[in-house]
Amino acid sequence: MGLWRKLMAEFVGTALLLACIVGSGIMGATLAQGNDAIALLANAAATAGMLYVLIVVFGPISGAHFNPAVTLVMRLRGELRNHEALAYLGVQMLAALVGVLLAHAMFGVDLLQPGTRVRSGSAQWLSEGVATFGLLLTILLGAQFRPNAIAALVASYIFAAYWFTASTAFANPAVTLARALTQSFAGIRPEDVSAFLVAQMIGAILAWVTAFAFVGSRQVPKQEI
């Protein structure tokens, strides 16, 4: 399948994912009227549901990465060439920004609004490392042992990780950067982004090493990621 189709799938999928994350955060916080537990439940459920749909629909086209950490690990595994990985990364970053702008436009708020939600400290950084590690391990091992269930596995993991991590599981560098441009429930302060990115990359690399220990160099079926 042509690279342009893969990039289009990554763009549309990543943009819709961010629109869902931010939009459901705005809607959840508005309807919950100060009850953060209800807002988080709505945010987590919407994100998990959207991930399931996007992976099923776009997995056969691009692999449904929607995440630079996933793309990095797939490059390390030899699933992508350098120019393909770089193109994926660029598209994911741009699409994430578009998704945030789309969510803001749908709710009639300022399109660009630097995040104000504090997400800093060792507990948050550890949480992001664990969240990303678990996500990548779910993808790598799930694609080997239960490839037909990968969409459900990823969606289920993210729903759970919203709740068991202190950071609410960003687990995605593109998502992290884009969420620094919203003051909604899903936002993050720009100054907190860099530490999240470092933790995510460490988690992704550890997942790659761990998966290799379990399954060696066997490749992930491209159409099922």
Side-chain angles (χ1 to χ4, degrees), residues 150-206:
I150 194 68
L153 290 171
V154 170
S156 298
Y157 175 81
I158 288 297
F159 182 84
Y162 260 74
W163 286 91
F164 81 79
T165 64
S167 63
T168 67
F170 285 45
N172 182 329
V175 165
T176 304
L177 288 167
R179 287 169 69 169
L181 299 176
T182 181
Q183 295 176 6
S184 67
F185 181 82
I188 179 175
R189 293 188 308 175
E191 55 264 43
D192 296 335
V193 166
S194 59
F196 266 48
L197 298 183
V198 171
Q200 290 161 0
M201 289 297 99
I202 292 173
I205 297 300
L206 288 176

Side-chain angles (χ1 to χ4, degrees), residues 63-216:
H65 295 190
F66 316 135
N67 185 337
V70 174
T71 297
L72 169 64
V73 169
M74 293 308 160
R75 175 64 192 94
L76 292 173
R77 288 177 58 86
E79 298 293 323
L80 296 171
R81 290 172 291 180
N82 285 334
H83 77 279
E84 292 174 323
L86 289 173
Y88 267 48
L89 295 177
V91 165
Q92 289 160 359
M93 295 296 184
L94 176 61
L97 172 60
V98 170
V100 171
L101 296 177
L102 179 60
H104 288 168
M106 288 191 293
F107 284 91
V109 300
D110 291 341
L111 293 183
L112 288 177
Q113 37 181 279
T116 57
R117 195 173 184 89
V118 178
R119 298 182 189 270
S120 184
S122 58
Q124 294 278 317
W125 305 331
L126 176 61
S127 292
E128 276 305 291
V130 170
T132 310
F133 172 84
L135 174 61
L136 268 295
L137 200 62
T138 297
I139 292 170
L140 294 172
L141 298 186
Q144 288 291 345
F145 302 126
R146 291 294 301 276
N148 293 330
I150 194 68
L153 290 171
V154 170
S156 298
Y157 175 81
I158 288 297
F159 182 84
Y162 260 74
W163 286 91
F164 81 79
T165 64
S167 63
T168 67
F170 285 45
N172 182 329
V175 165
T176 304
L177 288 167
R179 287 169 69 169
L181 299 176
T182 181
Q183 295 176 6
S184 67
F185 181 82
I188 179 175
R189 293 188 308 175
E191 55 264 43
D192 296 335
V193 166
S194 59
F196 266 48
L197 298 183
V198 171
Q200 290 161 0
M201 289 297 99
I202 292 173
I205 297 300
L206 288 176
W208 172 55
V209 172
T210 303
F212 184 85
F214 284 121
V215 300

